[in-house]
């Protein structure tokens, strides 16, 4: 596994990537090629030669460029989850979502974040009722968070949920959260 960043992968992520690479090599030797993920099968399509760590809008732009020159079997993306949080009882994964929107050409280029064609009717109505609106959850974006919460409640891991959502957006490159566990960035 070649890592294109100067930072080492988290040991848990490195182990998952190694497992996935081993599974992919075994499938190739057997002549089995499974580009997608069936529910419960774990990480999909991670026999990549290059692993790119990424996060944020800038990282998503880099990954779009890389995805245009490297196919799904040549590169996989490991995405930061240190900025994930719970908002209005929904799991928010900003870096995973930014990359999903960018790779599927669904990103809002005018704002630089979120989905194109976004509206904020829910948030406006929620604020009118006295709800907090500091985090701009758009209506189309909210659907992603509701679906993520539903799939997590069904028992899927964050990696499986991510794979499922990315497939629904037509993305063939493997995208793996850096961990399935909750981690938080804390400033003291």
């Amino acid at each position: 596994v070649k890592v294109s960043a100067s930072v080492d992968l988290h040991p848990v992520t490195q182990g998952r990537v190694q497992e996935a690479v081993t599974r992919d090599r075994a499938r190739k030797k057997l002549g089995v090629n499974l580009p997608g993920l069936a529910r419960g099968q774990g990480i999909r399509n991670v026999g990549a030669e290059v692993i790119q760590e990424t996060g944020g809008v800038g990282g998503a732009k880099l990954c779009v460029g890389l995805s245009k020159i490297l196919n799904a079997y040549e590169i996989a993306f490991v995405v930061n989850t240190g900025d994930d949080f719970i908002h209005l009882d929904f799991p928010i994964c900003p870096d995973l979502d930014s990359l999903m929107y960018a790779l599927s050409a669904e990103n809002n280029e005018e704002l630089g974040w979120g989905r194109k064609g976004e509206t904020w009717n829910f948030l406006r109505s929620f604020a009118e009722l006295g709800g907090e609106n500091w985090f701009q959850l758009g209506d189309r974006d909210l659907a992603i968070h509701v679906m993520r919460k539903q799939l997590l409640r069904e028992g899927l891991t964050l990696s499986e949920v991510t794979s499922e959502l990315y497939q629904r957006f037509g993305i063939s490159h493997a995208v793996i959260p850096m961990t399935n566990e909750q981690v938080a960035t804390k400033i003291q």
Side-chain angles (χ1 to χ4, degrees):
V1 175
K2 297 175 189 171
V3 179
S4 59
S6 60
V7 184
D8 289 333
L9 289 174
H10 184 279
V12 172
T13 302
Q14 181 66 36
R16 275 198 203 109
V17 169
Q18 289 291 355
E19 273 180 32
V21 167
T22 301
R23 275 195 311 272
D24 190 64
R25 286 184 182 142
R27 281 189 295 219
K28 284 178 182 173
K29 281 184 181 177
L30 295 171
V32 178
N33 189 1
L34 303 173
L37 169 78
R39 245 183 182 177
Q41 284 184 322
I43 299 171
R44 69 177 166 93
N45 210 21
V46 187
E49 297 172 15
V50 177
I51 304 295
Q52 176 64 52
E53 294 176 322
T54 186
V57 174
K61 289 178 180 180
L62 171 66
C63 292
V64 167
L66 290 171
S67 73
K68 290 180 180 184
I69 59 173
L70 298 170
N71 70 41
Y73 292 101
E74 295 174 310
I75 189 165
F77 305 109
V78 177
V79 182
N80 174 47
T81 58
D83 296 330
D84 293 6
F85 64 103
I86 302 295
H87 183 61
L88 303 177
D89 203 32
F90 294 110
I92 310 295
C93 304
D95 292 343
L96 284 168
D97 295 343
S98 291
L99 182 58
M100 182 169 62
Y101 300 154
L103 288 174
S104 64
E106 277 289 315
N107 55 320
N108 187 329
E109 292 183 17
E110 183 180 319
L111 292 176
W113 52 269
R115 290 182 75 176
K116 67 181 174 184
E118 193 63 88
T119 58
W120 287 270
N121 297 315
F122 166 81
L123 193 62
R124 194 173 1 232
S125 296
F126 190 67
E128 288 170 1
L129 296 170
E132 56 184 65
N133 65 349
W134 66 271
F135 187 74
Q136 296 294 299
L137 281 178
D139 300 327
R140 298 183 77 211
D141 193 34
L142 185 59
I144 299 300
H145 306 308
V146 171
M147 180 60 70
R148 180 180 291 119
K149 180 177 179 175
Q150 179 182 334
L151 293 171
L152 288 169
R153 279 196 172 166
E154 289 176 13
L156 275 69
T157 65
L158 182 58
S159 292
E160 292 168 330
V161 170
T162 298
S163 181
E164 188 122 345
L165 290 173
Y166 273 65
Q167 282 185 24
R168 293 177 188 190
F169 272 72
I171 299 165
S172 60
H173 284 81
V175 177
I176 310 159
M178 69 179 194
T179 180
N180 284 320
E181 307 304 318
Q182 281 230 264
V183 294
T185 302
K186 294 182 182 178
I187 300 173
Q188 296 183 13

